[in-house]
Amino acid sequence: MISIEHKTETRRTARAQAIVKVAPDTMKRLKRNDLPKRDVLIVARTAGMMASKQTPGLLPDCHPLNLEMVDVRLETGKNQVRIESCVALTGKTGAEMEALTAVTIAALTVYDMLKPIDKKMEITSVKLLEKTGGKSDLAFKAPANFRAAVLVISDRASKGVYKDVSGLKIKNYLKSLGVKKISANLLPDETSLIISFLKTLCDQGVDLILTTGGTGLSPRDVTVEAAQKAIEREIPGVAETARAYGQRRTPYAMLSRGIAGQRGKSLIVTLPGSPKAVEEWLAALFPGLLHAFEVMNSRPGH
């Protein structure tokens, strides 16, 4: 199966349909329940709901999901039975295959129960009607003038002792979101220099400033203290979300002191220095974090 390790849990739904075409006389008998195998619609509905929960056992690449709701409905029309399913959950991956499996098995159940009296039935129009949730619902299109800055804060990296990796990961991730104007700088672990640099970037109108490094517990980790001096309004939920995300993957995530907040219309977020931790913070916060700019620039009462 494809890894969904870094996907974010969101509310997800999926709707699908299938249609079983039957002969006119078959439809009359179905409505009267005058059949060798009785209660076709009830049995098919039950079969569809049961099948949706068995999807990972049928399709090798499907992940096991904790489904929170499955509904299957069958409606009789002019010489056809229309089947629709709705599946919902809070998870890392969508449930479209569960919805499609539900209607497919329900349609096969109708076919199986009616085949003694109708040899020309046809199952058609098996398709996904709608899906919601996931990052597709949080799509961020960076405006042409959106500006971001990446600050790598490390004594050793700024002296060239080792090549920066985390800052490059952040920059490439922002590019994947459509951000085109990205500056990058290396700074030593010096409080006054970091404060001055953050304030200057905000004064220049940079929208998003992401730092990496200096959020740990060593004596030279001063990024958080510097950011606190630059930030005018802290946004606690940002770092809390990232730490909670990381804590499910490593018991050390709680040791990050990273913070986030506003200065004017700029957003400052301090990420850890570890490349692995940076990946986790980016996965936890984006693209949802960018909704902050819609709120910050909206009319009062948004």
Side-chain angles (χ1 to χ4, degrees):
M1 297 185 293
I2 293 175
S3 173
I4 58 172
E5 176 187 1
H6 290 302
K7 285 193 173 185
T8 302
E9 289 187 348
T10 62
R11 183 65 176 170
R12 300 171 184 265
T13 66
R15 291 192 305 116
Q17 79 157 26
I19 292 174
V20 184
K21 294 183 179 180
V22 301
D25 185 60
T26 302
M27 180 57 64
K28 291 178 182 178
R29 295 185 63 179
L30 175 63
K31 290 181 176 179
R32 297 197 304 263
N33 202 18
D34 175 23
L35 300 162
K37 301 179 180 180
R38 301 172 64 84
D39 301 319
V40 172
L41 302 184
I42 295 173
V43 175
R45 180 174 185 268
T46 303
M49 290 191 293
M50 293 175 63
S52 67
K53 294 179 281 188
Q54 302 301 318
T55 303
L58 300 170
L59 303 176
D61 276 343
C62 283
H63 294 80
L65 301 180
N66 183 24
L67 302 181
E68 297 171 355
M69 188 275 287
V70 179
D71 188 24
V72 179
R73 302 192 179 195
L74 293 87
E75 299 176 350
T76 56
K78 185 177 181 181
N79 302 331
Q80 70 175 29
V81 178
R82 181 180 180 276
I83 307 164
E84 182 172 324
S85 67
C86 182
V87 180
L89 75 151
T90 301
K92 293 183 177 182
T93 187
E96 56 266 41
M97 296 313 301
E98 283 71 14
L100 285 164
T101 299
V103 295
T104 301
I105 296 300
L108 287 171
T109 302
V110 171
Y111 191 102
D112 175 60
M113 296 184 74
L114 294 180
K115 70 180 188 293
I117 64 168
D118 193 336
K119 306 299 182 184
K120 295 184 178 181
M121 284 181 293
E122 181 182 0
I123 297 175
T124 67
S125 300
V126 178
K127 62 182 179 180
L128 184 70
L129 298 175
E130 178 188 38
K131 62 173 289 189
T132 67
K135 289 190 175 181
S136 58
D137 281 5
L138 303 173
F140 172 75
K141 190 76 172 179
N145 59 348
F146 190 90
R147 298 172 60 192
V150 179
L151 299 185
V152 178
I153 301 172
S154 166
D155 287 332
R156 291 187 299 159
S158 65
K159 293 176 182 177
V161 175
Y162 70 85
K163 187 177 180 180
D164 166 60
V165 175
S166 296
L168 184 60
K169 283 183 177 290
I170 296 172
K171 189 173 181 179
N172 289 337
Y173 191 88
L174 291 174
K175 286 181 179 178
S176 74
L177 296 176
V179 181
K180 296 180 179 179
K181 296 181 179 180
I182 309 170
S183 65
N185 292 275
L186 281 166
L187 299 178
D189 294 292
E190 297 292 346
T191 305
S192 59
L193 182 59
I194 299 169
I195 295 171
S196 175
F197 217 94
L198 289 173
K199 288 183 176 180
T200 297
L201 289 172
C202 294
D203 292 342
Q204 291 174 349
V206 175
D207 298 286
L208 176 63
I209 304 165
L210 300 178
T211 72
T212 173
T215 65
L217 303 178
S218 75
R220 293 290 290 171
D221 286 333
V222 296
T223 301
V224 174
E225 287 75 15
Q228 285 172 331
K229 297 289 186 182
I231 287 172
E232 295 170 335
R233 282 204 300 180
E234 189 175 349
I235 312 172
V238 173
E240 289 169 3
T241 295
R243 279 189 287 268
Y245 181 94
Q247 193 67 22
R248 294 196 296 271
R249 290 156 178 80
T250 171
Y252 306 134
M254 63 182 176
L255 300 178
S256 173
R257 299 184 300 116
I259 63 169
Q262 293 174 262
R263 182 180 179 87
K265 289 194 174 182
S266 298
L267 184 61
I268 300 170
V269 184
T270 63
L271 279 66
S274 157
K276 180 67 173 176
V278 162
E279 289 180 1
E280 291 176 355
W281 275 58
L282 293 174
L285 300 180
F286 290 90
L289 177 65
L290 298 173
H291 178 62
F293 296 96
E294 297 178 14
V295 178
M296 288 160 59
N297 295 302
S298 69
R299 63 184 183 278
H302 178 85

